[in-house]
Amino acid sequence: MIKFQFLGTGDVAQVPVFGCPCDVCERARHVARFRRKPCSARLQLPDAGIDLLIDGGLTDLCERFQPGQLSAILLTHYHVDHVQGLFHLRWGQGEKIPVFGPDDTTGCADLLKHPGILAFQPVPAAFVPFQLGPLQITPIPLQHSKPTYGYLFRHGDISFAYLTDTVGLPPQSLAFLQQIPGLKLAIDCTHPPSPDKPRNHNDFSLLQKLAKELPAEQIWLTHISHEMDRWLLRNPLPEPFRLAWDDLCLELD
């Protein structure tokens, strides 16, 4: 079994957006379960003792996790909303924490120059799997404004892909995922449907087209903006789409 938890499901502005008086931002200010923190996740294999943090945008990582608890950290890319929590964590004490991510020499500010207890290392080449214990992880190139990977996680018969931040999928990545039987995935859906071509992040119109090319048992939407949340108030999601929210936990088997 894979235990997958969405720790944060918001875009860079998060929900509520500072100063925004819209209905979903006001709702989130008053009811905590409607808030969306920076997009991040956690994958656990309880039987194997694997505890993997995916992206480090949450600023309270030092409070969430105990020393020695994390097996590794896996980064999709080095935009600040996906790594800002690492700036504090790196100055901790004790054993080093492996941090895997794209081979982006600029990284984010001075994280790579002064890593502290964070042991940064690039993932293998695209589509080349590597192991974290019994968990197989395959980097999948995405389309974004910095070098960005999604990841396919495999354990036994379970295949789950986490694909954020991206606008559509590169042809090779789409072709690769089309060959995965029984695929379930979480994917960037920052924007509601729009007649205009989205830039840097998916809108729901693009995802509906993508779902026809990429049959999947379940497609979980994450990296949600307040505009997307407003659209969702009035529009139910068709199959196979599901809406993720902060702290939602999936048990995949």
Side-chain angles (χ1 to χ4, degrees), residues 1-241:
M1 181 188 74
I2 291 179
K3 183 178 179 182
F4 189 90
Q5 184 179 13
F6 294 91
L7 299 180
T9 56
D11 69 344
V12 64
Q14 304 177 59
V15 180
V17 176
F18 181 76
C20 179
C22 79
D23 46 359
V24 299
C25 287
E26 286 297 326
R27 179 183 67 172
R29 289 186 184 99
H30 293 93
V31 184
R33 65 187 176 92
F34 292 117
R35 296 173 187 166
R36 296 190 185 274
K37 296 184 284 293
C39 198
S40 57
R42 180 184 186 184
L43 187 151
Q44 295 173 280
L45 295 183
D47 293 341
I50 299 296
D51 198 342
L52 176 66
L53 175 65
I54 306 169
D55 279 336
L58 299 175
T59 56
D60 61 349
L61 296 180
C62 292
E63 289 75 45
R64 281 178 178 262
F65 299 101
Q66 297 300 312
Q69 183 175 349
L70 287 175
S71 306
I73 299 171
L74 186 64
L75 300 179
T76 58
H77 64 300
Y78 281 92
H79 274 150
V80 68
D81 56 316
H82 292 258
V83 299
Q84 59 195 353
L86 303 183
F87 283 87
H88 183 199
L89 183 65
R90 64 177 169 167
W91 299 126
Q93 300 179 16
E95 296 182 3
K96 289 188 176 293
I97 304 171
V99 183
F100 301 96
D103 189 8
D104 182 354
T105 56
T106 60
C108 180
D110 64 354
L111 262 179
L112 300 183
K113 290 182 180 178
H114 305 287
I117 65 168
L118 302 178
F120 289 96
Q121 48 197 296
V123 298
F127 308 114
V128 176
F130 64 101
Q131 296 290 139
L132 184 63
L135 179 69
Q136 184 188 83
I137 306 171
T138 304
I140 302 171
L142 300 180
Q143 298 182 135
H144 199 45
S145 55
K146 280 184 78 69
T148 304
Y149 280 132
Y151 296 98
L152 174 67
F153 301 102
R154 281 177 146 170
H155 177 59
D157 296 329
I158 306 167
S159 296
F160 184 82
Y162 185 76
L163 309 172
T164 185
D165 299 27
T166 191
V167 54
L169 290 174
Q172 280 187 300
S173 298
L174 177 60
F176 173 78
L177 290 167
Q178 285 173 331
Q179 306 305 311
I180 309 299
L183 178 67
K184 300 177 183 178
L185 62 90
I187 193 166
D188 181 312
C189 187
T190 303
H191 305 298
S194 171
D196 301 321
K197 184 177 180 180
R199 296 178 56 193
N200 225 26
H201 294 278
N202 291 325
D203 72 354
F204 190 61
S205 297
L206 181 55
L207 284 186
Q208 287 181 297
K209 295 176 183 176
L210 186 62
K212 296 177 182 178
E213 300 180 81
L214 184 62
E217 293 181 355
Q218 295 175 0
I219 301 177
W220 293 90
L221 306 183
T222 189
H223 206 282
I224 305 293
S225 68
H226 71 139
E227 291 97 342
M228 183 63 187
D229 264 341
R230 292 189 72 193
W231 184 84
L232 287 164
L233 282 178
R234 300 161 183 86
N235 297 275
L237 287 174
E239 290 290 338
F241 295 102

